[in-house]
Amino acid sequence: SKGSFYLMTAFFLQFTEEKLGQAEKTELDAHFENLLARADCTKNWTEKILRQTEVLLQPNPSARVEEFLYEKLDRKVPSRVTNGELLAQYMTEAANDFGPGTPYGKTLIKVGETQRRLGAAEREFIRSASINFLTPLRNFLEGDWRTISKERRILQNRRLDLDACKARLKKAKAAEAKAAAVPDFQETRPRNYVLSASASAPPSCLQAEHELRLTQTEFDRQAEVTRLLLEGISSTHVNHLRCLHEFVESQTNYYAQCYQFMLDLQKQLGRFSGTFVGNADSASPAAATSPPTVAAATLPAVPTIPVVPTIVGVPNTVAEGVLNPNEVKPPASGTRRARVLYDYEAADSTELALLADEMITVYSLPGMDPDWLIGERGNQKGKVPVTYLELLS
């Protein structure tokens, strides 16, 4: 109809004049504007957190694209081997080639098993974080936010309609005021001129006021719908806060597992490192000339104690070529203090059990494995692994 055409023309005219700053615009109240700004802020930061969390869980961009395509096609993402599990596989295969009974092969097997456990823990962390954290954020962006955006667009259209009707009413009142002030000469004009002029004339004040009331009602109704959706952002924040706590808990469990796995591996390697070095020395004379670690090189040494076969009941004996720390005396000067970094459980009577954060005295003996030192705590004495210590000046 002509009225609808005129209304659409007024709608686009209102939009254009607002962009050019030539038309008045119905302003929303301050609380509503704050709700809009809060919603936009929530959407923007949720997108950034979601994308960066995806990068954290899957650094490979090609793999992320593949997972995205599977998700859009509503298909199950195929299981992917983690880097730790792949490394464990290679180490195990290498150990079988080198010989699982050799020192190097045994170590490869132990490290490979730890890498496999790390990879399994990583897989579980990714699964838990995806379900408890990424999925709720993605559901908000693809569900609630789309609904909010749709209702905001409708509200924008209702506001343009309202402002266009206000402009029409203003023009209609101005036209009537002008017509009331100017004499009517329609009787002296040709009939066809009068018909064409009435067809293109704007609606009367009564019609414009009626349309304004209707558009105002529609605008108020849509504003209330949009307001309720925007106020629901508070519930979204509460839900995301709960998901964030679950993400932190999953990440904490993951890193705690990794830390424990590495401590176990470190303890295994520290306990058997002397055996490995001894085997390496017997197999390759050049290995005996390898330089000691920096920590051991800076420690004073005591005179060499001769190695004799083990004799039951005879003191000052050393078994299998390894110095017995209980039968040596510390150097007169030059010992160092060390702080224990982690708890350590002694494997036998020649080792000294350690407690984290305690202080002990340490020194080196000629012929000792550079990964070990002699530690003293009061009347207790024994071998301690260097990796569990922080040597102090």
Side-chain angles (χ1 to χ4, degrees):
S1 63
K2 293 181 180 179
S4 299
F5 175 77
Y6 188 86
L7 186 60
M8 291 180 61
T9 303
F11 174 88
F12 288 109
L13 180 62
Q14 175 69 24
F15 180 79
T16 303
E17 290 181 348
E18 283 186 8
K19 292 298 182 181
L20 298 176
Q22 299 175 355
E24 296 181 359
K25 175 182 177 181
T26 300
E27 299 292 343
L28 301 170
D29 60 82
H31 176 63
F32 202 100
E33 292 288 354
N34 290 335
L35 291 177
L36 290 173
R38 187 164 179 248
D40 290 334
C41 184
T42 300
K43 180 256 185 183
N44 293 334
W45 283 113
T46 300
E47 283 184 335
K48 292 180 180 180
I49 293 174
L50 173 64
R51 299 294 173 257
Q52 192 57 38
T53 306
E54 290 175 339
V55 173
L56 173 68
L57 298 180
Q58 179 51 265
N60 188 342
S62 300
R64 292 199 304 272
V65 172
E66 181 182 353
E67 293 175 357
F68 175 79
L69 294 177
Y70 273 101
E71 180 183 350
K72 290 302 179 183
L73 295 175
D74 198 17
R75 297 176 60 183
K76 183 179 179 181
V77 179
S79 178
R80 182 180 290 104
V81 178
T82 63
N83 293 329
E85 292 171 328
L86 186 60
L87 178 59
Q89 177 183 343
Y90 291 163
M91 286 185 170
T92 302
E93 293 175 358
N96 292 331
D97 283 346
F98 297 147
T102 63
Y104 187 32
K106 290 180 180 179
T107 305
L108 280 173
I109 291 176
K110 292 181 182 298
V111 177
E113 176 61 22
T114 300
Q115 295 300 325
R116 185 193 64 78
R117 297 169 69 187
L118 291 173
E122 179 185 2
R123 181 192 301 276
E124 176 60 24
F125 168 58
I126 293 175
R127 186 195 68 82
S128 176
S130 298
I131 295 175
N132 299 326
F133 190 61
L134 292 184
T135 299
L137 298 186
R138 195 176 291 115
N139 289 341
F140 165 72
L141 293 174
E142 297 179 355
D144 295 348
W145 181 252
R146 288 186 178 180
T147 302
I148 292 175
S149 299
K150 176 184 175 182
E151 297 301 329
R152 287 177 65 176
R153 289 193 296 269
I154 295 175
L155 178 63
Q156 175 72 355
N157 294 338
R158 294 289 185 267
R159 187 195 61 75
L160 289 172
D161 289 342
L162 177 61
D163 290 339
C165 288
K166 289 180 179 179
R168 290 182 64 193
L169 177 59
K170 184 177 180 180
K171 291 179 180 179
K173 289 183 177 180
E176 286 190 358
K178 183 177 179 180
V182 178
D184 188 2
F185 296 102
Q186 284 190 0
E187 296 180 358
T188 62
R189 298 174 182 172
R191 178 175 177 79
N192 58 350
Y193 174 82
V194 174
L195 291 176
S196 62
S198 61
S200 60
S204 64
C205 287
L206 292 177
Q207 181 181 355
E209 289 175 352
H210 176 69
E211 292 176 352
L212 178 60
R213 286 193 296 270
L214 292 178
T215 54
Q216 182 70 55
T217 301
E218 293 177 353
F219 172 78
D220 293 340
R221 183 185 300 113
Q222 185 60 35
E224 184 62 25
V225 171
T226 308
R227 183 192 300 273
L228 292 176
L229 290 174
L230 293 175
E231 290 176 347
I233 292 293
S234 298
S235 300
T236 300
H237 286 189
V238 173
N239 183 40
H240 288 181
L241 175 61
R242 178 183 57 81
C243 297
L244 184 60
H245 278 283
E246 294 179 354
F247 172 73
V248 171
E249 182 178 357
S250 299
Q251 196 171 31
T252 302
N253 292 336
Y254 167 61
Y255 285 120
Q257 286 180 326
C258 293
Y259 176 73
Q260 187 59 48
F261 293 158
M262 295 309 300
L263 276 185
D264 294 342
L265 175 63
Q266 189 180 49
K267 185 177 297 186
Q268 292 179 31
L269 297 183
R271 180 175 301 173
F272 296 103
S273 61
T275 304
F276 293 160
V277 172
N279 293 341
D281 290 343
S282 60
S284 175
T289 62
S290 60
T293 61
V294 175
T298 58
L299 292 173
V302 298
T304 304
I305 298 178
V307 178
V308 296
T310 302
I311 303 176
V312 179
V314 178
N316 299 328
T317 58
V318 182
E320 299 180 3
V322 179
L323 295 176
N324 188 347
N326 294 320
E327 302 297 335
V328 299
K329 296 181 179 180
S333 62
T335 58
R336 295 183 64 175
R337 298 288 289 172
R339 185 176 70 87
V340 179
L341 299 177
Y342 321 107
D343 292 345
Y344 178 74
E345 181 180 353
D348 50 46
S349 60
T350 65
E351 296 181 4
L352 179 65
L354 302 175
L355 295 176
D357 294 328
E358 70 172 333
M359 302 295 295
I360 63 174
T361 301
V362 294
Y363 52 90
S364 177
L365 296 177
M368 283 189 64
D369 184 340
D371 292 332
W372 292 81
L373 297 172
I374 300 297
E376 290 189 1
R377 180 183 56 233
N379 296 327
Q380 296 178 326
K381 181 190 308 182
K383 295 188 303 180
V384 293
V386 176
T387 53
Y388 281 68
L389 304 175
E390 177 186 1
L391 298 178
L392 306 178
S393 58

